[in-house]
Amino acid sequence: MSALAGLDIALWDLKGKNLGVPIWQLLGGKVRDRVSVYAWIGGDRPSDVEKAAKERQRQGFKAIKMNATEDVGWLDSPSTLTSSVERLKTVKALGMDAAVDFHGRLHKPMAKQLAKLLEPHQPLFIEEPLLSEHPEGIKELYGQTTCPIALGERLYSRWDFKRFFADASVDVIQPDIAHCGGISELRRIAAMAETFDVAVAPHCPLGPIALAACLQIGVCTPNHQIQEMSVGMHYNVEAGEYDIHSYVTNPEVFVVRDGYVEALQKPGLGIEINEDLVRKVATDTKPWELKGFVGSDGGYREW
């Protein structure tokens, strides 16, 4: 599906540039002038979220997302969840909305406790409270919390999402444009979600091409609610000097103002790739290393 996504996005870009119009114009025209966005804070082991949230405010964001926990055991001490609540309260006190990503790190005994603890502090949504392999558990949890439930980065087509729509167990879906076949399939998934009154908030901790493609969808999709951006994300920080703006020659299109990015206006994807820099970086870039968590007992905590 990732290979198909690359081809699909490229073909939409070529079509738009050939006709001299942005992709959203080819998908029926815009339903909004700007797209709501959020950014990450806290890293894999969330800490010092106040400083990071203030930096996002300075950058124009009004919403952030952060991991809910570090590594947590299958059944762990309830005290391990205290810091999760405090981080949410800290960000909310700054006047920002905050989504909390469980990231499949928690299992049922802990997930239902944390959802209950977060509920009074009104997270924007809780993401992957359980892994998507457990639709029965997600459906059960859905009936126990008022927190909006989001998921979808580990699903690959509208047929994968179908079960959750039919179960009425999800409020927000997060298809990843690089996983689900590109613009064409993301558009189909969004249309299916609309029939079930489900919002769309695409997963995109990725680079400028994936982000631009998602923003094209956001401009023309009624139930698109908010878009993830990887500005300053810990993956980028670990990579050194490069961030989402580094590989485009028109980085101004990604400027965030009052929580929004304006609709991209140039033909195709609306961005111009700095191909020389991409080729330069590709010569000595190391493969991304998948890092896991090991608990105090020596066992793997996330996979």
Side-chain angles (χ1 to χ4, degrees), residues 12-281:
W12 279 107
D13 185 43
L14 290 169
K15 186 76 169 181
K17 287 178 177 175
N18 186 54
L19 296 174
V21 296
I23 292 170
W24 54 258
Q25 193 70 269
L26 302 176
L27 294 172
K30 65 181 180 180
V31 297
R32 56 179 57 87
D33 296 323
R34 57 196 63 85
V35 178
S36 179
V37 293
Y38 71 84
W40 266 88
I41 64 169
D44 275 330
R45 296 185 179 277
S47 62
D48 199 13
V49 296
E50 183 174 10
K51 178 181 178 181
K54 287 180 177 178
E55 174 63 14
R56 295 291 175 263
Q57 279 186 317
R58 188 190 65 78
Q59 294 169 336
F61 290 94
K62 299 181 72 174
I64 58 88
K65 185 169 75 176
M66 55 187 168
N67 276 314
T69 66
E70 298 187 21
D71 49 304
V72 175
W74 209 291
L75 174 62
D76 217 320
S77 169
S79 64
T80 62
L81 305 177
T82 302
S83 60
S84 304
V85 179
E86 292 305 312
R87 283 192 293 272
L88 176 58
K89 290 168 62 177
T90 296
V91 174
K92 294 281 288 188
L94 298 175
M96 302 185 80
D97 281 319
V100 180
D101 189 356
F102 288 37
H103 212 265
R105 295 177 178 177
L106 302 177
H107 299 274
K108 285 176 66 176
M110 304 304 293
K112 62 183 181 181
Q113 292 184 66
L114 184 53
K116 190 71 172 180
L117 291 170
L118 295 176
E119 193 172 283
H121 308 289
Q122 297 182 302
L124 188 62
F125 55 76
I126 58 173
E127 180 174 339
E128 287 191 321
L130 298 172
L131 288 171
S132 299
E133 297 96 295
H134 305 300
E136 300 86 357
I138 292 171
K139 183 178 181 180
E140 180 183 2
L141 184 60
Y142 188 90
Q144 297 175 352
T145 182
T146 61
C147 296
I149 290 179
L151 57 82
E153 69 177 82
R154 303 175 204 249
L155 305 178
Y156 299 96
S157 74
R158 59 195 183 280
W159 311 119
D160 290 340
F161 284 95
K162 183 180 178 182
R163 167 68 185 271
F164 298 97
F165 294 148
D167 282 351
S169 61
V170 64
D171 302 291
V172 184
I173 58 163
Q174 301 170 296
D176 188 309
I177 202 163
H179 293 170
C180 73
I183 291 172
S184 300
E185 184 65 9
L186 181 50
R187 180 73 163 172
R188 296 186 190 104
I189 293 169
M192 181 182 286
E194 187 178 5
T195 66
F196 289 91
D197 197 28
V198 172
V200 179
H203 178 257
C204 192
L206 306 169
I209 293 176
L211 175 59
C214 287
L215 291 171
Q216 297 290 337
I217 293 287
V219 171
C220 63
T221 302
N223 57 327
H224 187 288
Q225 183 55 45
I226 196 166
Q227 177 61 55
E228 179 175 21
M229 291 181 69
S230 67
V231 175
M233 194 171 184
H234 48 289
Y235 301 149
N236 299 345
V237 173
E238 291 168 3
E241 62 186 292
Y242 301 108
D243 207 334
I244 194 168
H245 304 97
S246 304
Y247 300 103
V248 293
T249 59
N250 57 335
E252 67 278 0
V253 299
F254 293 143
V255 170
V256 181
R257 296 184 179 89
D258 199 29
Y260 294 93
V261 169
E262 295 294 323
L264 302 177
Q265 299 295 336
K266 290 188 175 182
L269 285 170
I271 58 173
E272 300 296 334
I273 298 297
N274 185 339
E275 295 186 27
D276 290 338
L277 180 60
V278 172
R279 290 190 177 95
K280 175 185 176 183
V281 174

